[in-house]
Amino acid sequence: MDKPSNTADDILAAAQTFIVAGGYNGFSYADIAEVVGIRKASIHHHFPSKVDLVQTLVRRYLENAVTGMAEIERNVPEPPELLRTYAGFWARCIEDASRPFCVCALLASELPALPPEVAVEVRAYFQFLSGWLTGVIERGAGQGTLTISAAPRVEAEAFMATVHGAMLSARAYGNTAAFATIMAPTLQKLIPEAG
């Protein structure tokens, strides 16, 4: 027997799809109601405003990222493989269109126009990701498994910017392979050749 769907989760999933396709202002509650098969009043019951909806979405996105990164670290402890795994995750998501763009990266491009309550959540996501990448790069540099030419925090920001820029280029060119092509030199710079 199928697990019954959770209406709030369905609403959040629809909102994420709409944001990735058209940004914060690219959807309305009417759009979500049509996709989920409920009335707009039902959405307002779960999320009184669009700010509440997107704030919850971004918080959950961050919670999933924290959980996901912890899982990756348990399974892939070496810094070079962590960076490859992270980049590979996005390459697969872009290729199979399961997550063609990071919702927080897309929202960050709209930051000046976002409600402050949403903007603070987007910044929190970036701070987490930057901190995680900084930790990975610090460990790798300390172990001699990563080669860095700037402070670990700067390298982390550059890596994060390259990932998000590669997403943007893949979208702009309509070429999913562009992501891996753009990421390759960054990974090669950080990860020295063995032997």
Side-chain angles (χ1 to χ4, degrees):
M1 186 163 156
D2 289 335
K3 176 183 170 190
S5 75
N6 177 316
T7 302
D9 289 341
D10 293 345
I11 293 167
L12 289 166
Q16 182 169 331
T17 300
F18 281 119
I19 288 170
V20 168
Y24 182 84
N25 292 313
F27 72 98
S28 68
Y29 274 21
D31 297 321
I32 292 174
E34 184 177 328
V35 168
V36 178
I38 58 176
R39 295 184 4 247
K40 287 192 302 184
S42 296
I43 300 170
H44 284 284
H45 170 75
H46 293 283
F47 305 100
S49 71
K50 189 174 187 176
V51 170
D52 295 317
L53 170 63
V54 178
Q55 193 175 28
T56 301
L57 172 66
V58 175
R59 279 185 189 145
R60 185 172 291 179
Y61 198 81
L62 173 56
E63 290 167 8
N64 290 340
V66 169
T67 302
M69 299 310 182
E71 182 67 22
I72 290 171
E73 291 224 33
R74 275 192 295 279
N75 295 319
V76 184
E78 296 301 318
E81 284 310 307
L82 281 169
L83 295 180
R84 284 188 188 109
T85 300
Y86 179 73
F89 167 80
W90 281 112
R92 283 185 305 283
C93 288
I94 291 165
E95 187 175 304
D96 69 14
S98 60
R99 291 185 190 185
F101 213 92
C102 170
V103 72
C104 287
L106 195 133
L107 288 170
S109 73
E110 300 181 83
L111 213 55
L114 290 179
E117 302 90 336
V118 174
V120 76
E121 299 299 335
V122 171
R123 285 187 186 102
Y125 173 82
F126 271 76
Q127 290 164 347
F128 162 74
L129 184 56
S130 176
W132 181 78
L133 287 168
T134 298
V136 169
I137 291 169
E138 282 175 342
R139 283 195 314 276
Q143 296 167 355
T145 58
L146 294 178
T147 302
I148 61 174
S149 57
R153 170 72 66 181
V154 173
E155 293 284 358
E157 293 292 336
F159 187 84
M160 185 169 58
T162 303
V163 168
H164 293 143
M167 287 177 189
L168 189 60
S169 291
R171 178 178 268 194
Y173 294 125
N175 177 359
T176 59
F179 180 85
T181 300
I182 293 165
M183 286 304 303
T186 297
L187 289 167
Q188 290 167 355
K189 177 183 96 55
L190 288 167
I191 302 168
E193 293 283 328

